């Protein structure tokens, strides 16, 4: 289970290239030094966050710890350091469905019919709904099943 630890992120992980960027965070590929496993680290600059934003960050981490499903990216670690908070997730390289749809400019019925993984997505949402978490989600969920 992922929990907030007091260790230094750089003692545990090696950072690599940037995978994405937001207003208060950046996502980078990282590797756990002790195991060689690769992950995605969401690095939040907490110096720029308001008290309300800090609450949202804690809520996101709490929800991620509760979401345990084969098709939902798992939170492996949560490390707070002065000025930054690191959330370490599964590394998913398949991209986002939304970006794929936008890149196509339109999504036909024939395109949609080729999505054989829709039952997995529906099962994932059913799991989230049954866990009473679906209504709480205010951040993106990336699905491993789309990889």
């Amino acid at each position: 289970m992922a929990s907030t630890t007091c260790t230094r992120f750089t003692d545990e992980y090696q950072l690599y290239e940037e995978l994405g960027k937001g207003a208060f965070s950046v996502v980078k590929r990282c590797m756990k030094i002790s195991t060689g496993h690769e992950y995605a680290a969401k690095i939040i600059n907490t110096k720029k966050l308001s008290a309300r934003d800090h609450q949202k960050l804690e809520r996101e981490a709490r929800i991620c710890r509760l979401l345990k499903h084969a098709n939902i990216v798992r939170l492996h670690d949560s490390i707070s350091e002065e000025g930054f908070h690191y959330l370490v997730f599964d590394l998913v390289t398949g991209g986002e469905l939304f970006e794929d749809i936008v890149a196509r400019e339109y999504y036909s019925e024939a395109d949609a019919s080729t999505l054989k993984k829709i039952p997995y997505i529906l099962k994932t949402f059913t799991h989230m709904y049954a866990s009473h978490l679906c209504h709480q989600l205010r951040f993106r969920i990336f699905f491993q099943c789309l990889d």
Side-chain angles (χ1 to χ4, degrees), residues 91-102:
L91 178 64
V92 180
T93 58
E96 292 186 55
L97 178 59
F98 178 74
E99 289 174 1
D100 181 58
I101 292 169
V102 170

Side-chain angles (χ1 to χ4, degrees), residues 89-142:
F89 292 96
D90 290 330
L91 178 64
V92 180
T93 58
E96 292 186 55
L97 178 59
F98 178 74
E99 289 174 1
D100 181 58
I101 292 169
V102 170
R104 292 174 187 242
E105 296 182 14
Y106 68 92
Y107 213 72
S108 70
E109 188 176 331
D111 291 332
S113 70
T114 63
L115 289 176
K116 296 180 172 104
K117 308 256 178 163
I118 288 187
Y120 296 107
I121 295 170
L122 295 176
K123 286 180 185 178
T124 303
F125 278 111
T126 301
H127 170 76
M128 290 167 28
Y129 182 78
S131 301
H132 305 288
L133 296 172
C134 205
H135 66 283
Q136 296 180 33
L137 297 176
R138 296 183 66 129
F139 58 93
R140 291 185 185 147
I141 298 285
F142 300 96

